[in-house]
Amino acid sequence: MGDGNQGHGKRQKPVHAQVCAPRSDKCDMFLCTVANISCMHVCWMASSLYILLWTFLHPSLPILPVCAQKGHAMQKVPEVPLVLSDAVESVSKTSKALEILKKIGAAPDVEKAKASKQLRRGKGKMRNRRYTLRKGPLIVFANDSGISRAFRNLTGVEVTSVDRLNLLQLAPGGHMGRFCVWTKSAFDKLDSIFGTYTKPSEVKKGYKLPRACMTNSDLTRLINSDEIQSVVRPAKKLTTKHAPLKKNPLKNLGAMLKLNPYAKAQLRREVLVSEKRAVARQEKLAAMRAGKSVGPKKSAELKAVGKKFYQQMIVDSDYKGEDYDEFSKWLGASEN
């Protein structure tokens, strides 16, 4: 067993901006729905890259607080998005690149990333990822005239081309808020790569920026406006509806009457019979305490029949005849 970054057991190729469709059915991880760096694939919607770029570039969105919350030191950055002239692309010295970062106020973020380098915990340190490092600024260029050589030696700083934007660079770990520094040509090239609302992309066939369904997304303000409140119906009182309680017919008389209408008369008859039996039992107990005979009296004829049968039994028991000895031998009885 390895550390948490060993996800699948086989190495995956990085997925760039062109591959953004959901791929959870092709992943080896069971029901993978999270964008993971070790997984090296992205399970987001097809326009996720556009959403991230729009978040970084749209002037009405609070980009600076989002990047600061992500951990970037951007207190001295003059504006966001930060666009530099194309002369930066021809810089080939690291010292010149560091001076540029200090002028634009991005040096504190570089120092923060450099100070965050530390030894990785666990067995990952033996698997070609010995150190952990926080992300610094992302330099996006259009033409590499030496800019990649100048910035590549700065700790935490990453350099990429606008033609090869990667979701794992724009949103490390699946969280938005990467501090990006753009060159002017790279910033202007975004329209040709991703297109506009009226013009399709020149690189992606048939791709056009998805238009928002609502021009004003403040639903609370729309619903509470006078124009809508004057038309809508008044709010209904909320009544809590519960599922009907299933009643037991053996314990509930109303439920039994729905199933058997005769149950009421049958129950009344049982009550009357039980009352009569209780009265008769009390009278019988009172008579027995008084010494009176209780119970049905036998007729004289029935008594005579019983007496005659008893006498006949006595006579039969005293019988001793010719076959008595043989009968007693057969039974195995002997007289003492």
Side-chain angles (χ1 to χ4, degrees):
M1 297 296 291
D3 61 340
N5 290 338
Q6 290 294 108
H8 297 291
K10 64 179 182 180
R11 189 173 181 180
Q12 301 273 344
K13 294 183 179 180
V15 178
H16 295 282
Q18 288 78 9
V19 185
C20 304
R23 304 201 327 150
S24 58
D25 56 338
K26 297 182 180 179
C27 177
D28 297 334
M29 186 183 295
F30 178 69
L31 293 180
C32 177
T33 58
V34 180
N36 196 340
I37 295 179
S38 65
C39 187
M40 297 306 291
H41 72 84
V42 183
C43 299
W44 293 331
M45 52 190 299
S47 59
S48 56
L49 180 59
Y50 158 71
I51 294 173
L52 292 176
L53 290 174
W54 184 259
T55 305
F56 289 126
L57 304 180
H58 200 276
S60 64
L61 294 178
I63 306 174
L64 188 60
V66 173
C67 295
Q69 186 179 6
K70 188 70 168 59
H72 291 286
M74 303 175 58
Q75 292 79 8
K76 298 182 180 181
V77 176
E79 61 180 0
V80 176
L82 186 58
V83 183
L84 305 180
S85 64
D86 291 338
V88 181
E89 296 180 351
S90 60
V91 175
S92 59
K93 294 293 184 180
T94 305
S95 58
K96 295 290 184 180
L98 190 58
E99 291 178 4
I100 293 173
L101 293 177
K102 289 180 180 180
K103 289 182 181 179
I104 63 177
D109 194 31
V110 178
E111 296 296 332
K112 177 180 177 296
K114 182 179 180 180
S116 66
K117 184 177 181 180
Q118 59 184 354
L119 197 66
R120 184 184 295 273
R121 300 177 182 179
K123 294 183 179 180
K125 66 171 70 71
M126 298 182 292
R127 294 175 178 171
N128 211 15
R129 46 181 184 273
R130 189 168 184 80
Y131 298 97
T132 59
L133 186 68
R134 297 293 173 265
K135 297 289 185 181
L138 176 64
I139 312 298
V140 185
F141 61 87
N143 302 312
D144 188 5
S145 300
I147 186 173
S148 61
R149 286 173 170 267
F151 286 91
R152 68 182 181 181
N153 201 31
L154 295 176
T155 307
V157 180
E158 294 182 359
V159 185
T160 184
S161 174
V162 69
D163 298 319
R164 295 185 299 274
L165 286 175
N166 193 344
L167 278 175
L168 300 179
Q169 292 177 337
L170 290 174
H175 303 286
M176 294 190 301
R178 183 70 183 272
F179 176 30
C180 297
V181 180
W182 306 80
T183 62
K184 187 177 183 305
S185 58
F187 197 85
D188 296 338
K189 200 173 181 180
L190 290 174
D191 290 342
S192 62
I193 296 176
F194 298 97
T196 61
Y197 291 121
T198 57
K199 181 181 177 182
S201 172
E202 299 176 3
V203 179
K204 301 173 181 290
K205 183 178 180 181
Y207 183 83
K208 189 183 293 185
L209 287 182
R211 186 180 294 274
C213 298
M214 300 177 61
T215 56
N216 185 7
S217 60
D218 192 355
L219 291 178
T220 305
R221 184 179 177 183
L222 291 175
I223 293 174
N224 295 329
S225 62
D226 297 335
E227 292 81 359
I228 294 180
Q229 290 296 325
S230 61
V231 178
V232 298
R233 293 177 293 180
K236 296 181 180 179
K237 294 182 179 180
L238 296 177
T239 56
T240 306
K241 294 183 179 180
H242 300 283
L245 182 64
K246 185 178 180 180
K247 299 178 181 179
N248 189 358
L250 300 177
K251 297 181 180 180
N252 190 285
L253 181 60
M256 177 59 79
L257 291 177
K258 290 181 180 179
L259 299 176
N260 183 15
Y262 183 69
K264 189 174 183 179
Q266 186 178 4
L267 182 61
R268 185 183 296 111
R269 187 182 64 180
E270 291 178 357
V271 171
L272 294 177
V273 171
S274 62
E275 290 178 355
K276 290 181 181 179
R277 288 176 181 172
V279 172
R281 187 171 184 277
Q282 293 296 331
E283 293 177 354
K284 183 178 179 180
L285 291 176
M288 291 176 65
R289 293 189 185 101
K292 298 179 181 179
S293 60
V294 179
K297 295 182 180 180
K298 296 182 180 180
S299 61
E301 295 179 358
L302 188 60
K303 289 182 179 180
V305 172
K307 189 175 181 180
K308 183 179 178 180
F309 178 74
Y310 180 71
Q311 294 296 332
Q312 185 65 32
M313 286 180 61
I314 294 175
V315 173
D316 293 341
S317 63
D318 295 338
Y319 171 77
K320 287 185 180 182
E322 297 177 355
D323 51 354
Y324 176 75
D325 295 335
E326 297 180 1
F327 183 70
S328 60
K329 290 179 182 179
W330 179 75
L331 291 176
S334 61
E335 296 184 354
N336 293 329

